[in-house]
Amino acid sequence: MPDVDAIGGMSPADLEACLRVFDGERRRLHAQIATFVNRVEVTGAFVGDHHRTVRAWSKAACNWSGTEAFQFAQVGRMLARFPTAAAAAGAAGCLGVAQMQVLAAVVANPRVRDLLDGGEDHLVGRAGDCDFDEFAQRVAEWVALADEDGADDGHERADRGRKAHASIVGDRFYLDAAGGVVQGTLLKEIFDQFAQAEWFADWQAGVLEHGEMMYPGLMGRTDPQRRFDALITVFVTAAGMQPGPAPTATDTEAASSTASRSGSGCGVVVNLMVGYEYFMYHLRKALGDDPSPLDLTNPLNRCTTANDVPIDPHDMLIGAALGHVRRAVLDSTGVVLDMGRRKRLFTGPLRDTVMMTNRWCIWPGCARPAAHCQADHLLPWGHQGPTTSGNGGPACGHHNRWKSTGYRTWHD
């Protein structure tokens, strides 16, 4: 274990290598414990001290929390079910602890049990190919494809249970709402734009007062305060509009028109990303046909918002029928195709396609959402990088500046 002085003299590469050594040991030990717990469960050895379940036995033996005991038992069953995962986690330490828990939840889902054999290589392989957030999203999409009825029921329940409630309790005001994903995405896009406007207002006021010494810590309001003030602005703006019917789950064009009546011209649009084969499969089903099953391992067999939020196929088809879905044409690798002329900056529809290429900043480990990033050239313009969607990606301001100091970026 390096001490503080030794760490101060280590290079970034040495620091990462050291952390990976420790994490590899943690992964192997986690897999060994889970495997041991599973074998105790399979043999029934835990009943020796009159425990009813292996969870109760392990909780008593190691003073684990109930959550810990549950997770070790679940991961143990997954490793026994997926030999490739056991090999990756145990011998090589290549499978992360969090990834094991995601896979364990899939194995525990009784509705996809019959498809696990065919999905093992894909699911375990993605655990090593993607960062964790991307992996968890892809696994969720695989489960949604494998369990169509369950996914549809979830979206239908969310829409059927939509609600909104405003109340004043004592000296505080509370606003609570819940509903479907498409409506929620639209509301969030509008709210985030108003919140961003409040942020820029605070920043400009700070620049006028502090000049070049301005930094976010000198802003007059906290982020929660700005977001509440943005909510007030949304309601006050809406109060000056002509009343009309609320937009439906996929009626994003109507919602955009409604927003424009306020005079702000915000033009909010919700983009739905859908693979062609996935679209045709659900269209044929809706028309009463019996199409061949989709390839569960094809990453384009999905429908999401630009921020990778899964969308119910039924809502997607309604939007397509009404003409309210902005189409994004994808090539065989899932990259949005080029949209025309060469130019210096990503603007208009071309900027939209670039921001659709990733949910977050392209810098590994950066969780800044794409909506808060800049459309950036992967191969810099100054190095003959073209202004095309294939050479673009979202980058936060901080990492956009760092990118040109000896690093290189590329589409994987």
Side-chain angles (χ1 to χ4, degrees):
M1 173 66 69
D3 58 23
V4 174
D5 293 334
I7 289 177
M10 296 171 69
S11 70
D14 291 337
L15 288 171
E16 288 190 13
C18 188
L19 181 61
R20 290 193 186 103
V21 170
F22 295 138
D23 188 52
E25 293 298 324
R26 181 178 74 115
R27 295 176 179 192
R28 283 188 285 270
L29 189 56
H30 191 91
Q32 289 174 3
I33 295 173
T35 299
F36 179 75
V37 169
N38 177 255
R39 291 174 180 174
V40 170
E41 181 179 36
V42 170
T43 60
F46 59 87
V47 301
D49 279 338
H50 304 286
H51 294 290
R52 290 190 178 92
T53 65
V54 73
R55 286 177 55 193
W57 168 79
S58 58
K59 185 178 177 182
C62 300
N63 196 23
W64 286 341
S65 68
T67 301
E68 272 186 305
F70 172 78
Q71 288 178 343
F72 274 118
Q74 201 174 52
V75 169
R77 297 182 196 115
M78 182 275 295
L79 294 175
R81 185 67 175 76
F82 284 167
T84 54
C94 297
L95 190 61
V97 172
Q99 284 84 346
M100 293 185 215
Q101 292 170 351
V102 170
L103 291 173
V106 175
V107 172
N109 184 345
R111 295 187 298 272
V112 300
R113 187 170 296 151
D114 295 339
L115 300 172
L116 291 177
D117 288 337
E120 178 180 353
D121 290 342
H122 173 70
L123 294 172
V124 178
R126 294 308 295 266
D129 294 340
C130 308
D131 62 36
F132 174 75
D133 293 317
E134 180 81 4
F135 166 69
Q137 180 69 28
R138 298 299 166 243
V139 169
E141 290 168 358
W142 184 91
V143 171
L145 279 174
D147 181 25
E148 288 186 40
D149 293 339
D152 290 344
D153 288 346
H155 285 282
E156 186 178 346
R157 283 196 302 272
D159 184 61
R160 190 168 58 246
R162 62 189 183 277
K163 61 180 181 179
H165 182 69
S167 60
I168 296 177
V169 180
D171 57 357
R172 289 184 180 270
F173 165 77
Y174 295 89
L175 178 64
D176 175 58
V181 172
V182 180
Q183 303 100 318
T185 301
L186 176 63
L187 294 177
K188 187 176 184 304
E189 290 284 348
I190 296 172
F191 179 57
D192 286 348
Q193 287 196 21
F194 276 86
Q196 187 76 354
E198 297 290 337
W199 189 94
F200 280 120
D202 274 10
W203 180 261
Q204 293 300 328
V207 169
L208 291 176
E209 181 177 355
H210 302 287
E212 294 183 357
M213 302 299 293
M214 179 60 187
Y215 68 98
L218 296 177
M219 286 183 167
R221 295 174 291 177
T222 65
D223 189 61
Q225 289 172 339
R226 280 191 297 270
R227 295 181 74 80
F228 186 84
D229 293 345
L231 186 64
I232 295 175
T233 306
V234 171
F235 275 74
V236 171
T237 302
M241 294 162 42
Q242 296 296 324
T248 61
T250 52
D251 199 359
T252 55
E253 184 179 75
S256 184
S257 301
T258 302
S260 300
R261 287 203 296 269
S262 69
S264 64
C266 61
V268 176
V269 176
V270 175
N271 297 293
L272 300 186
M273 310 289 291
V274 55
Y276 177 75
E277 291 183 6
Y278 184 87
F279 177 85
M280 293 304 299
Y281 170 82
H282 286 287
L283 178 61
R284 291 178 62 186
K285 282 189 64 176
L287 295 175
D289 200 355
D290 186 21
S292 301
L294 286 167
D295 179 5
L296 301 184
T297 64
N298 185 348
L300 296 182
N301 284 339
R302 59 192 179 106
C303 180
T304 68
T305 66
N307 291 327
D308 243 9
V309 178
I311 298 298
D312 180 55
H314 179 70
D315 289 341
M316 176 265 295
L317 288 176
I318 292 177
L322 295 176
H324 296 153
V325 174
R326 172 184 283 177
R327 295 182 302 175
V329 182
L330 312 179
D331 66 14
S332 60
T333 63
V335 176
V336 182
L337 298 177
D338 295 348
M339 296 187 65
R341 301 171 296 150
R342 289 174 59 91
K343 50 186 176 179
R344 174 67 179 86
L345 300 176
F346 293 104
T347 58
L350 180 58
R351 183 184 184 279
D352 290 343
T353 64
V354 168
M355 302 307 280
M356 291 176 192
T357 60
N358 220 43
R359 293 178 60 193
W360 307 280
C361 169
I362 58 175
W363 198 272
C366 182
R368 181 62 61 88
H372 300 160
C373 292
Q374 304 161 0
D376 183 44
H377 292 78
L378 301 184
L379 177 63
W381 172 264
H383 295 168
Q384 305 304 312
T387 305
T388 62
S389 58
N391 188 47
C396 69
H398 175 75
H399 288 128
N400 190 1
R401 293 185 289 273
W402 271 102
K403 184 177 64 65
S404 57
T405 59
Y407 296 91
R408 64 186 180 92
T409 54
W410 68 93
H411 270 307
D412 188 349

